[in-house]
Amino acid sequence: MTPEIAISLGRILAVIAGVLSAVPYLVFAERKICAYIQDRIGPNRVGPWGLFQPLADGLKLLTKEEILPNGIDRFAYLLAPALVMIHPLATFAIIPFGSSITLFGQTIRLQIADLPIGILFFLGVASLSVYGLALGGWGSNNKYSLMGGLRACAQLVSYELSMGLCLVGIILLSGTLSTSQIVAAQEETLLGFLPAWNVFLQPAGFAIFLICAFAENNRLPFDLPEAEPELVGGYHTEYTGLRFGTFFLAEYASMITMSALLVTLYLGGHHLPGVTTRDFGPVMTGLISTAVFGAKVATVLFTFIWTRWTLPRFKYQNLMSFSWKCLLPAALVNLLMTATVITLSG
Amino acid sequence: MPSITEPAAALVKGFGITLKHLFSRKFTSQYPEKPHPIAPKFRGEHKLNKDGEGRVKCVACFLCETNCPAYAIRIKSAPAPDGWQDRERYPAEFEVDLLKCIFCGYCEEACPVDAIALTNKIPEVETSREAFILNKEKLLANADLPAATSAEKYLDDILKKWKG
Ligand code: SF4
Ligand code: SF4
């Protein structure tokens, strides 16, 4: 095995293990934060501060009976849980989660694949995530599941447009489609003190992208595909045991991926002026940049959770009109202004 | 074009409220380890008081049984044993059915000799209807528990607070 392949495999394993093991603790954090916001304490019985609660939850899902309901479309029903995992894990391939580490004379970049068309890759894979949800809804042969699946499709399609327009703004600014170069473009400082993160250059774009990220992940206030009061559980109503667990896992994993992408595009990726600009030796520099990246992702994730426990759910017609009548024009104006400024400043 | 300031202000306010609650006092009580404090006026199981010689104080006058709105008390009166100089009758049996009782405390208010009272003790969970009936032994066993603040005293305290 050549060292390149070994390095690639190592990175892939590290990313998959990292994301998948972060998910249970994200669920745990969600439960804790939700409890604290509601003046409760949250899970605290399993292990110290309830830290083993995610293990217990996982074991519960593993030992639950798997039910294949009557009248399902077996192929679609069984395929859907596998499909939903593609989007969160594949998108992570283009995210630079640290600078680089030098080990045994080899410089390892902390990114699985530095595609020159990283953003396009993301958009393509993000569209795939519709299939899992739609097939899950279709294959279950249940009216509520179908409604949930259809809603997920409509929502993803509507919000992806505004998201794409925000991305164009970023591409115009940094003049590249590669995520690592977008991060590199945010390395300097503005006016001497402000880090040159895109969030300061594109505040409106950041806000729109954030809203679209909520919608893409079916998070409250946009969780209509699984609105409990109307649709039981939406597209995963008929799923049990580990198959349900996969949907659950994918939802939280895509939250992590989306936050990581947000950090990469708008919050300077793994850069932090004053910390990652210094040299801490061949290994530590990379690790510290990864830690900076992780801290930023955690902050964005906290915002996700905070929003969920603050805002109520949209009505369906408001969801659609918000996307088409507010977000899309706003994203267009943002793009137009960005383009004008760039043209004028040469 | 709808105004954007109003919804934005509402959003900021909403997020502020949840953020404030994130750090405010928590109301969860850790039940088995730290039981919730019971108010002194909490009315729980009954007790039968004893007189100076350790005998049941009750004179079997039936006032509590008559007064009970829930028909929860059943008394069987008998002539007082020899040597009980101070009364003619005493309760041979005394039963309070906790499943019927509404813990109103009227029995306590009716008693002319302060023989029955309600305590702070929370009735235990049982598995049969019979087990919820407090007989004379159980009632006497509760004799040393402190009595719940009577309605009279509670009202007095409130009035005192109001008058300053
Ligand atoms: S507390 Fe009320 S209901 Fe219960 S035994 Fe006494 S009088 Fe009857
Ligand atoms: S407890 Fe009091 S009111 Fe009831 S029978 Fe005995 S003396 Fe009378």
Side-chain angles (χ1 to χ4, degrees):
Chain A
M1 198 156 48
T2 57
E4 283 78 46
I5 297 180
I7 289 172
S8 289
L9 278 181
R11 282 189 298 216
I12 292 173
L13 278 182
V15 164
I16 291 185
V19 172
L20 290 190
S21 58
V23 166
Y25 280 90
L26 179 60
V27 178
F28 179 70
E30 166 127 47
R31 290 177 66 182
K32 271 286 187 196
I33 292 172
C34 130
Y36 270 72
I37 282 179
Q38 295 170 347
D39 292 345
R40 298 184 285 112
I41 295 179
N44 67 345
R45 293 287 142 156
V46 195
W49 304 290
L51 273 177
F52 298 148
Q53 184 70 40
L55 282 180
D57 289 349
L59 272 181
K60 189 196 90 176
L61 279 178
L62 272 176
T63 50
K64 286 262 170 171
E65 186 189 357
E66 301 264 3
I67 298 170
L68 279 181
N70 279 338
I72 51 166
D73 182 336
R74 273 185 87 99
F75 181 67
Y77 182 87
L78 295 179
L79 186 63
L83 281 184
V84 288
M85 280 310 286
I86 293 182
H87 156 61
L89 291 181
T91 307
F92 227 98
I94 57 155
I95 290 174
F97 52 91
S99 49
S100 58
I101 291 182
T102 313
L103 265 187
F104 313 117
Q106 293 269 0
T107 305
I108 305 172
R109 296 184 50 82
L110 294 178
Q111 179 181 13
I112 294 181
D114 187 6
L115 296 182
I117 49 154
I119 301 285
L120 279 186
F121 175 80
F122 156 70
L123 283 174
V125 174
S127 312
L128 279 182
S129 69
V130 166
Y131 286 101
L133 309 186
L135 280 183
W138 177 259
S140 301
N141 195 14
N142 169 328
K143 57 186 171 193
Y144 297 120
S145 302
L146 184 59
M147 290 275 278
L150 289 181
R151 278 184 180 187
C153 291
Q155 183 172 322
L156 285 176
V157 169
S158 317
Y159 281 84
E160 220 152 63
L161 270 180
S162 318
M163 190 178 243
L165 287 178
C166 293
L167 288 177
V168 176
I170 299 270
I171 296 168
L172 282 181
L173 266 183
S174 39
T176 171
L177 281 167
S178 133
T179 41
S180 65
Q181 282 169 38
I182 289 179
V183 171
Q186 303 178 62
E187 212 167 338
E188 288 118 50
T189 47
L190 292 173
L191 310 171
F193 64 98
L194 211 57
W197 297 349
N198 285 331
V199 60
F200 301 117
L201 299 170
Q202 293 261 299
F206 174 73
I208 297 167
F209 192 93
L210 187 67
I211 295 173
C212 294
F214 287 138
E216 287 273 313
N217 286 338
N218 304 325
R219 289 286 295 182
L220 239 98
F222 306 107
D223 71 336
L224 284 124
E226 42 188 301
E228 301 91 0
E230 312 153 24
L231 295 184
V232 197
Y235 48 84
H236 54 51
T237 306
E238 297 289 346
Y239 284 89
T240 47
L242 208 55
R243 282 187 209 112
F244 166 75
T246 317
F247 273 112
F248 200 64
L249 203 69
E251 199 181 316
Y252 280 85
S254 66
M255 240 169 96
I256 296 179
T257 308
M258 208 46 112
S259 310
L261 196 74
L262 199 76
V263 168
T264 307
L265 295 178
Y266 283 98
L267 299 176
H270 49 79
H271 288 302
L272 190 68
V275 177
T276 46
T277 40
R278 276 185 233 159
D279 195 13
F280 294 96
V283 178
M284 277 317 275
T285 316
L287 289 185
I288 285 176
S289 69
T290 304
V292 166
F293 181 77
K296 285 183 186 174
V297 170
T299 317
V300 178
L301 284 173
F302 173 75
T303 317
F304 269 74
I305 297 173
W306 184 18
T307 311
R308 168 161 183 198
W309 299 104
T310 303
L311 298 181
R313 182 178 293 130
F314 270 75
K315 267 196 207 165
Y316 195 68
Q317 68 268 38
N318 294 349
L319 175 92
M320 279 298 150
S321 61
F322 182 61
S323 160
W324 292 101
K325 293 186 189 162
C326 297
L327 280 188
L328 192 61
L332 275 173
V333 170
N334 178 52
L335 177 60
L336 211 66
M337 275 165 45
T338 316
T340 316
V341 170
I342 289 179
T343 316
L344 288 185
S345 62
Chain B
M1 179 96 185
S3 146
I4 193 163
T5 44
E6 209 175 308
L11 272 184
V12 171
K13 194 174 162 206
F15 278 100
I17 288 176
T18 37
L19 194 64
K20 196 179 84 204
H21 277 271
L22 195 61
F23 299 106
S24 61
R25 199 169 72 84
K26 306 294 168 243
F27 290 97
T28 315
S29 60
Q30 298 292 315
Y31 172 61
E33 294 91 26
K34 286 191 205 129
H36 204 67
I38 293 173
K41 68 167 185 171
F42 176 82
R43 297 194 288 260
E45 272 186 20
H46 308 62
K47 66 171 179 176
L48 275 180
N49 283 327
K50 294 177 183 165
D51 62 8
E53 294 163 47
R55 306 175 307 192
V56 62
K57 230 176 176 181
C58 171
V59 294
C61 70
F62 287 93
L63 276 180
C64 55
E65 187 182 316
T66 318
N67 215 19
C68 176
Y71 305 107
I73 302 182
R74 195 185 66 82
I75 302 169
K76 199 163 174 203
S77 152
D82 294 338
W84 288 32
Q85 302 295 341
D86 54 345
R87 61 188 111 163
E88 287 166 17
R89 304 189 75 80
Y90 89 117
E93 287 171 27
F94 199 114
E95 287 180 359
V96 179
D97 188 338
L98 291 180
L99 291 182
K100 289 183 183 167
C101 175
I102 57 172
F103 302 95
C104 62
Y106 283 1
C107 45
E108 180 179 334
E109 285 180 39
C111 183
V113 292
D114 276 346
I116 191 165
L118 273 69
T119 65
N120 294 148
K121 187 178 169 199
I122 297 176
E124 269 156 33
V125 180
E126 308 285 0
T127 48
S128 71
R129 286 174 181 272
E130 291 70 39
F132 275 105
I133 297 175
L134 291 181
N135 57 19
K136 200 169 128 187
E137 282 73 52
K138 287 191 192 160
L139 286 165
L140 281 170
N142 282 347
D144 293 329
L145 295 179
T149 316
S150 68
E152 215 178 340
K153 174 151 185 328
Y154 187 63
L155 272 180
D156 270 359
D157 288 351
I158 290 180
L159 283 178
K160 245 183 246 159
K161 218 186 262 173
W162 278 357
K163 286 173 186 159

